[in-house]
Amino acid sequence: MTIKNVRTQSPLVLTYANFVTPQFVANVVNVIGASPLMSREVSEFNDLCQIADAVVINIGTLKANELSDIVTLSKVATNLDKPVILDPVAVAVPFRSKAVQTLMQEGHVDIIRGNAAEIAWFADIDFDSQGIDATGSGDVIAIAQLAAEKTGAIIALSGAKDVISDGHQTAVIETDVPLLSTNVGTGDALSSVIGAFVAESLTVENVTYAMATFKLAGLKASRQITTPGFYSMQLLDELAAITSEEVATFMTESVQYL
Ligand SMILES: Nc1ncnc2c1ncn2[C@@H]1O[C@H](COP(=O)(O)OP(=O)(O)OP(=O)(O)O)[C@@H](O)[C@H]1O
Ligand SMILES: Cc1ncsc1CCO
Ligand SMILES: [Mg+2]
């Protein structure tokens, strides 16, 4: 789905958010022309999944007694044929590892969007991290492909090199924009943006389009603003203004299918 279609169809993205970044995530979903909705109340998940076009589960600030809620949310969404995107924040930390194992075994996830260290955990490859950030280096293409094979999910690995893979088809977007990585919550927002773009159909192409749109907006914002505070505001403005034509040109120049 193109950004133009997102604006005309305005998909509703239901996000089980962390308590750090929900305002930013909601604003990002809103400025691309989709509709944000956040909930953590299990008794309304059925009603909300009926009206949602995609469901995003972020484990950033999950508590033990909420684990069964996200399992339920993933099952309800899947039964209604709505795509489920997992954002596995700091998944290598033991409580989070166990939570994600349970979610994957008892529930269902279609797409996993994380930084290189988070995706490396699914591939069973060591990759240095510091809390929410990937700090190491490695072969991110191999990591994404292996994670896709092991999980059966479409992998959306973000970083200086974005890699999107279902284990068969792999796309790479290589564009360095350091301000994008240092702003807390850009990854969380990207996960919900992906939700909007796969609302119609769950494909590697649509995930790639979402990642490219976000990266291009980040690149344009970095040409206007070089300090972190106003940068996140500029990113919202660039996302609001970005056109299908610009995204198409950027994709021709910067997206490589392997
Ligand atoms: N060095 C970089 N150069 C260009 N883009 C980057 C870089 N690092 C991250 N990005 C982009 O920043 C966005 C967020 O990805 P990132 O990998 O930082 O997520 P994250 O670590 O989950 O973030 P957070 O936890 O703060 O939400 C993506 O669009 C990604 O492509
Ligand atoms: C800083 C932080 N801590 C838990 S979630 C989060 C936001 C980035 O995902
Ligand atoms: Mg993150």
Side-chain angles (χ1 to χ4, degrees), residues 41-249:
E41 174 49 50
V42 68
S43 68
E44 66 167 357
F45 285 166
N46 194 39
D47 289 338
L48 294 183
C49 286
Q50 302 272 353
I51 57 169
D53 295 292
V55 173
V56 182
I57 298 176
N58 185 304
I59 64 153
T61 52
L62 189 75
K63 288 167 67 81
N65 63 6
E66 295 166 338
L67 176 55
S68 62
D69 294 351
I70 60 170
V71 171
T72 301
L73 178 55
S74 78
K75 285 194 207 165
V76 171
T78 301
N79 286 338
L80 290 164
D81 219 13
K82 307 296 167 84
V84 177
I85 297 95
L86 170 65
D87 190 323
V89 182
V91 65
V93 180
F95 164 74
R96 291 151 190 267
S97 310
K98 289 195 195 84
V100 166
Q101 265 157 1
T102 304
L103 174 63
M104 308 279 289
Q105 276 160 16
E106 296 178 16
H108 178 80
V109 166
D110 296 297
I111 300 173
I112 303 168
R113 199 296 310 165
N115 60 43
E118 290 159 349
I119 299 304
W121 180 84
F122 292 92
D124 218 2
I125 291 174
D126 281 336
F127 200 105
D128 285 346
S129 63
Q130 182 172 19
I132 61 167
D133 293 318
T135 51
S137 60
D139 182 348
V140 288
I141 294 171
I143 288 169
Q145 288 172 333
L146 191 57
E149 280 162 26
K150 289 198 175 211
T151 59
I154 296 178
I155 299 295
L157 183 160
S158 57
K161 205 187 260 178
D162 289 331
V163 186
I164 304 92
S165 182
D166 63 359
H168 306 284
Q169 202 182 2
T170 301
V172 179
I173 312 168
E174 199 167 353
T175 310
D176 202 19
V177 191
L179 274 168
L180 257 188
S181 65
T182 51
N183 246 278
V184 174
T186 47
D188 300 339
L190 174 60
S191 297
S192 292
V193 166
I194 291 172
F197 283 92
V198 298
E200 214 172 51
S201 75
L202 185 58
T203 61
V204 167
E205 283 86 356
N206 280 339
V207 177
T208 303
Y209 190 99
M211 303 262 294
T213 303
F214 200 78
K215 187 78 108 183
L216 177 58
L219 181 64
K220 292 180 73 190
S222 73
R223 290 178 184 141
Q224 302 294 326
I225 305 281
T226 55
T227 52
F230 284 108
Y231 178 78
S232 59
M233 299 294 114
Q234 187 68 27
L235 177 61
L236 292 173
D237 288 348
E238 298 292 349
L239 284 166
I242 206 161
T243 65
S244 290
E245 290 75 18
E246 283 175 294
V247 177
T249 305

